[in-house]
């Protein structure tokens, strides 16, 4: 029996999303066609758009369906007319890499030891540059779970006529995410982090803000993203949003149980970002000297799926840029492990993880003492 505790990487698809996708696959039409089959496909997309918009506290025309969170973030950073970018040091690689290839000057906003952005430094960065800036700050960090002061960022940005993009991919489905209340200009979300299908997401665009298409070739999505829409994916996205709104629980009890097991186990474990508000489903920790790749293989052999704090797209384990930005040592960053809970997680899952950790950490501590 496998224990899946890597929901921040991708959450298993919810039954409601699967059912909606199977029903959508029965539709035969292209949503851009005017015949009955096309109209049925279009109706499904627009119903889904309404549902996602309502969940995000915005209007349906603000929603652009995309191929996922990375595409949404790329469009936000590369397709808005600004003169420079400011990105936080803990952003997801899709934001950091999009900034690099944008051709614009890029400033990096530092974070404190808990992984929270330095809002006062933002004012200095915006005040010292030329031209209009776009600031990109995530709502909740994918590695540590640290929640960012986005509304404070918006307030400072407003003083300098700067735009704000927020990557809410990790937060949506775990926190209330309201586009209007956050006050940002652009917001990215993804389906598969909350139990929807992989390969579909959305970019939310403030009314009146011009955004060029990242994908050219057609007039879909109000000419903001070309290409025939992923009808089944969009249907599954909306169904997952509905299900998350009904069933998403507060994981604080499981988080506390897990962290208690770490504290009482072998060795001195560091849990990151405990001094600030975090996502209640996320625990990022390290036992210095026990490298993450070794621990991950041991967990996998025990039937438990967790991840490094920084598993890259190739599947290799690299030192976390997030933890480095927080001031963690090289040795600690290489030991970081992330446990992330989700809609299917249970007390039994946490118990199995805790039992496995006792064995893995115990072996490491014993070897270190004998060396």
């Amino acid at each position: 029996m496998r224990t899946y505790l890597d929901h921040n990487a991708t959450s298993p698809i919810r039954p409601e999303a699967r059912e909606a996708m199977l029903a959508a696959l029965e539709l035969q039409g292209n949503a851009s066609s005017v015949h009955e089959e096309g109209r049925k496909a279009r109706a499904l997309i627009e119903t889904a758009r309404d549902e996602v918009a309502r969940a995000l506290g915005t209007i349906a025309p603000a929603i652009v369906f995309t191929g996922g969170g990375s595409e949404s973030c790329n469009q936000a950073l590369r397709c808005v007319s600004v003169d420079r970018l400011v990105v936080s040091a803990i952003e997801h690689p899709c934001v950091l890499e999009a900034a690099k290839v944008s051709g614009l000057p890029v400033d990096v906003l530092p974070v404190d030891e808990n992984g929270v952005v330095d809002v006062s430094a933002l004012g200095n960065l915006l005040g010292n540059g030329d031209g209009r800036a776009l600031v990109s700050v995530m709502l909740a960090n994918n590695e540590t779970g640290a929640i960012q002061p986005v509304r404070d960022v918006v307030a400072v940005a407003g003083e300098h006529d700067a735009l704000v993009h927020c990557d809410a991919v990790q937060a949506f489905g775990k926190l209330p995410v309201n586009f209007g209340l956050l006050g940002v200009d652009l917001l990215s979300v993804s389906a598969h982090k909350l139990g929807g299908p992989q390969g579909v997401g959305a970019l939310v665009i403030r009314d009146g803000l011009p955004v060029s298409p990242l994908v050219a070739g057609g007039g879909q999505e109000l000419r903001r993203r070309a290409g025939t829409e992923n009808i089944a994916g969009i249907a599954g996205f909306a169904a997952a949003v509905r299900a998350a709104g009904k069933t998403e629980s507060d994981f604080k009890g499981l988080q506390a149980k897990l962290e208690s097991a770490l504290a009482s186990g072998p060795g001195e474990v560091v849990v990151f970002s405990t001094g600030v508000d975090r996502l209640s489903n996320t625990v990022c920790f390290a036992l210095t000297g026990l490298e993450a790749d070794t621990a991950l293989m041991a967990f996998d052999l025990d039937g438990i799926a967790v991840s490094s704090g920084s598993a890259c797209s190739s599947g290799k384990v690299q030192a976390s840029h997030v933890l480095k930005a927080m001031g963690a040592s090289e040795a600690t960053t290489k030991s970081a492990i992330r446990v992330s809970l989700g809609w299917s997680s249970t007390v039994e899952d946490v118990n199995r993880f805790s039992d496995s950790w006792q064995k893995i950490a115990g072996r490491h501590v014993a070897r270190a003492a004998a060396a």
Side-chain angles (χ1 to χ4, degrees):
M1 180 178 181
R2 297 284 299 179
T3 297
Y4 188 81
L5 295 172
D6 198 17
H7 287 256
N8 283 11
T10 197
S11 198
I13 194 163
R14 295 173 183 267
E16 299 91 339
R18 182 183 292 107
E19 290 174 13
M21 294 178 72
L22 290 173
L25 288 170
E26 296 298 321
L27 296 178
Q28 301 177 41
N30 186 310
S32 296
S33 300
V34 297
H35 47 58
E36 180 179 347
E37 289 82 357
R39 293 196 303 273
K40 287 181 178 178
R42 172 56 53 192
L44 183 151
I45 291 173
E46 297 311 321
T47 298
R49 196 187 311 277
D50 286 339
E51 291 177 331
V52 173
R54 193 159 49 246
L56 289 168
T58 189
I59 57 175
I63 302 292
V64 178
F65 285 120
T66 68
S70 291
E71 182 188 321
S72 297
C73 290
N74 269 263
Q75 186 170 10
L77 269 69
R78 298 168 60 188
C79 299
V80 176
S81 180
V82 291
D83 302 297
R84 56 196 178 103
L85 300 173
V86 178
V87 298
S88 89
I90 59 166
E91 294 303 302
H92 188 276
C94 71
V95 168
L96 299 177
E97 293 300 318
K100 285 181 183 179
V101 302
S102 68
L104 298 172
V106 181
D107 287 311
V108 177
L109 178 62
V111 299
D112 64 18
E113 67 276 8
N114 281 303
V116 174
V117 296
D118 185 341
V119 178
S120 62
L122 175 62
N124 294 331
L125 289 174
L126 292 175
N128 292 331
D130 296 324
R132 195 179 200 190
L134 171 66
V135 180
S136 186
V137 173
M138 57 181 26
L139 184 51
N141 185 259
N142 51 299
E143 294 187 25
T144 67
I147 297 170
Q148 304 302 314
V150 172
R151 294 185 69 179
D152 293 339
V153 168
V154 169
V156 173
E159 295 171 0
H160 298 271
D161 191 33
L163 301 174
V164 178
H165 164 252
C166 179
D167 171 4
V169 166
Q170 208 58 247
F172 190 35
K174 305 180 184 82
L175 293 175
V177 179
N178 187 294
F179 182 71
L181 292 179
L182 284 173
V184 298
D185 301 283
L186 301 137
L187 183 134
S188 300
V189 293
S190 183
H192 74 107
K193 305 295 188 180
L194 49 82
Q198 298 173 355
V200 62
L203 177 64
V204 189
I205 303 173
R206 174 176 55 78
D207 187 34
L209 178 65
V211 178
S212 302
L214 183 66
V215 180
Q220 293 89 351
E221 298 299 300
L222 297 179
R223 299 193 175 277
R224 298 172 298 188
R225 185 189 189 265
T228 301
E229 295 92 342
N230 176 4
I231 297 176
I234 290 169
F237 188 6
V241 168
R242 287 195 303 273
K246 292 177 182 176
T247 65
E248 198 67 60
S249 61
D250 190 315
F251 299 106
K252 283 192 179 297
L254 293 180
Q255 184 187 55
K257 182 178 179 63
L258 197 153
E259 291 181 1
S260 176
L262 292 173
S264 62
E268 294 185 13
V269 173
V270 176
V271 179
F272 298 100
S273 298
T274 55
V276 294
D277 288 338
R278 288 178 294 155
L279 294 176
S280 60
N281 81 309
T282 304
V283 179
C284 184
F285 69 94
L287 175 57
T288 302
L290 174 58
E291 294 199 356
D293 54 357
T294 300
L296 295 184
M297 287 187 287
F299 276 123
D300 196 37
L301 289 171
D302 262 359
I304 296 172
V306 293
S307 75
S308 162
S310 56
C312 67
S313 59
S314 66
K316 296 179 181 178
V317 177
Q318 298 179 336
S320 165
H321 73 282
V322 172
L323 301 182
K324 284 183 178 180
M326 293 164 57
S329 69
E330 185 79 11
T332 300
T333 63
K334 288 182 177 179
S335 299
I337 296 167
R338 182 189 67 191
V339 179
S340 48
L341 308 163
W343 67 270
S344 60
S345 299
T346 64
V347 173
E348 289 72 23
D349 291 334
V350 174
N351 288 338
R352 282 192 288 271
F353 168 85
S354 300
D355 291 343
S356 182
W357 173 249
Q358 294 287 332
K359 293 186 296 182
I360 294 167
R363 288 194 299 266
H364 168 72
V365 170
R367 282 196 298 267

